[in-house]
């Protein structure tokens, strides 16, 4: 359960809004100038602290932070299941936000095994890895998964832009969403970092006790290898990206058994791996 924010000794002690209004001057190419009110996405340092040990600092949007703590812990292999996290406390400081994560004793050794120091840029998925071997992660094989019809994929893609409430204001946030086999969106998470958005989605699914194999995942960002790795660890049998994948992302998707669709549009999508889950 998320705890309420206590009173802080610093200047703020409050979580900032995800988007903030700002006054801007629009410079038109015909030489005219207009004063206007617009919105910018907030981006704050978020420190993940496990049992008192600072593990990572990521630049992220200040929303759905408990989901982020759980999803990051799962995707980074610090915990194997969400139940190993006993509590998440969110503390707002003047310089950023601290997520104090209480791990069960039996899972604390994973933190010592995988501990690293990350100064994470926005959504930087591989920052802090100390060897080439660490990039090539041992991933579980994705099995099962329902057959998903093209109409369901089209339905979910059409529903995603209106569901991006923060991006509609600031135009600077990525989204990761989960849809059921009928194409209905069940969960949507947004963040300035594409990896953060997917971590938040994985955390939300774990808390909601939704079987990830009963639907599919959609992302609005480019599909790099880290996004495929996180999707596989989260248990999604299918990943649909509106942008193009990298060659390594497609290779990892093929090896892990996940169905990868890319350049998904209202009228088409490219299927790169494991098309057996697509019901034509």
């Amino acid at each position: 359960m998320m705890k309420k924010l206590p009173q802080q000794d610093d200047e703020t002690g409050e979580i900032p809004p995800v988007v903030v209004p700002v006054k801007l001057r629009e410079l038109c190419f015909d030489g005219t100038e207009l004063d206007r009110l617009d919105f910018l996405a907030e981006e704050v340092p978020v420190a993940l602290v496990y049992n008192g040990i600072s593990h990572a600092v990521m630049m992220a949007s200040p929303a759905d932070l408990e989901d982020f703590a759980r999803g990051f812990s799962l995707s980074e292999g610090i915990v194997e299941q969400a139940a190993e996290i006993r509590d998440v406390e969110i503390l707002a400081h003047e310089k950023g936000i601290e997520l104090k994560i209480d791990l069960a004793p039996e899972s604390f050794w994973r933190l010592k095994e995988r501990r690293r120091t990350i100064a994470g840029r926005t959504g930087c998925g591989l920052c802090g890895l100390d060897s080439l071997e660490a990039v090539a992660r041992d991933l579980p094989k994705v099995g099962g998964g329902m057959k998903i019809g093209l109409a369901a994929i089209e339905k979910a893609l059409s529903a995603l832009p209106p569901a991006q409430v923060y991006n509609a204001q600031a135009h600077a946030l990525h989204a990761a969403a989960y849809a059921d086999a009928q194409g209905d969106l069940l969960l949507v998470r947004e963040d300035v970092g594409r990896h953060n958005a997917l971590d938040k989605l994985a955390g939300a699914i774990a808390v909601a006790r939704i079987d990830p194999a009963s639907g599919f995942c959609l992302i609005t960002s480019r599909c790099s290898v880290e996004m495929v790795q996180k999707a596989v660890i989260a248990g999604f049998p299918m990943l649909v990206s509106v942008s193009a994948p990298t060659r390594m992302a497609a290779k990892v998707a093929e090896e892990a058994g996940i169905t990868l669709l890319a350049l998904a549009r209202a009228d088409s999508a490219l299927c790169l791996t494991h098309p057996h889950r697509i019901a034509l």
Side-chain angles (χ1 to χ4, degrees):
M1 180 180 297
M2 185 183 297
K3 296 181 179 179
K4 294 182 179 180
L5 288 175
Q7 293 295 323
Q8 299 295 310
D9 295 331
D10 53 39
E11 296 180 4
T12 59
E14 297 180 357
I15 294 179
V18 179
V19 296
V20 294
V22 294
K23 293 181 180 180
L24 300 176
R25 174 160 293 187
E26 182 177 0
L27 305 178
C28 303
F29 294 151
D30 62 4
T32 59
E33 300 179 8
L34 299 173
D35 290 328
R36 55 179 287 184
L37 184 68
D38 211 329
F39 293 89
L40 296 182
E42 188 64 87
E43 183 179 21
V44 299
V46 177
L48 295 103
V49 181
Y50 293 91
N51 290 20
I53 298 177
S54 181
H55 180 69
V57 178
M58 306 297 291
M59 300 303 297
S61 298
D64 303 306
L65 293 175
E66 184 171 0
D67 290 338
F68 179 46
R70 297 182 185 279
F72 180 90
S73 303
L74 288 164
S75 68
E76 290 297 311
I78 297 171
V79 300
E80 293 183 350
Q81 51 187 343
E84 296 175 34
I85 298 176
R86 300 188 297 191
D87 193 21
V88 178
E89 185 177 7
I90 303 174
L91 302 177
H93 302 282
E94 178 185 357
K95 296 181 179 180
I97 297 173
E98 185 180 26
L99 303 182
K100 300 180 70 174
I101 303 164
D102 183 14
L103 292 180
E106 58 270 19
S107 62
F108 189 59
W109 65 269
R110 293 193 193 93
L111 178 66
K112 295 180 179 179
E113 290 290 326
R114 296 184 58 85
R115 188 183 176 192
R116 60 189 183 176
T117 301
I118 305 174
R121 299 175 183 173
T122 300
C124 187
L126 295 179
C127 292
L129 293 178
D130 57 7
S131 68
L132 292 177
E133 289 75 13
V135 177
R137 305 177 61 178
D138 291 329
L139 297 175
K141 295 294 182 181
V142 177
M146 304 179 65
K147 279 188 173 293
I148 305 297
L150 293 177
I153 297 172
E154 179 186 8
K155 180 180 180 181
L157 286 168
S158 298
L160 185 53
Q164 296 174 246
V165 293
Y166 295 128
N167 190 62
Q169 300 177 69
H171 310 289
L173 291 92
H174 298 291
Y178 177 78
D180 62 19
Q182 290 71 47
D184 294 318
L185 295 184
L186 302 185
L187 289 168
V188 178
R189 292 293 183 266
E190 296 180 83
D191 199 278
V192 290
R194 55 197 172 95
H195 305 96
N196 300 340
L198 188 50
D199 280 339
K200 288 179 178 180
L201 178 67
I205 285 178
V207 171
R209 299 181 183 275
I210 296 175
D211 180 9
S214 62
F216 58 100
C217 175
L218 303 95
I219 57 174
T220 62
S221 63
R222 70 180 178 90
C223 187
S224 58
V225 63
E226 314 96 286
M227 300 297 279
V228 172
Q229 290 172 337
K230 288 179 180 292
V232 170
I233 293 172
F236 299 122
M238 183 184 300
L239 178 63
V240 180
S241 172
V242 302
S243 188
T246 64
R247 177 66 186 92
M248 182 177 286
K251 181 176 182 291
V252 170
E254 177 66 35
E255 294 173 349
I258 189 173
T259 299
L260 177 60
L261 274 67
L263 291 173
R265 301 292 186 266
D267 59 350
S268 66
L270 298 179
C271 184
L272 286 94
T273 62
H274 302 284
H276 63 276
R277 295 190 181 94
I278 307 295
L280 299 176

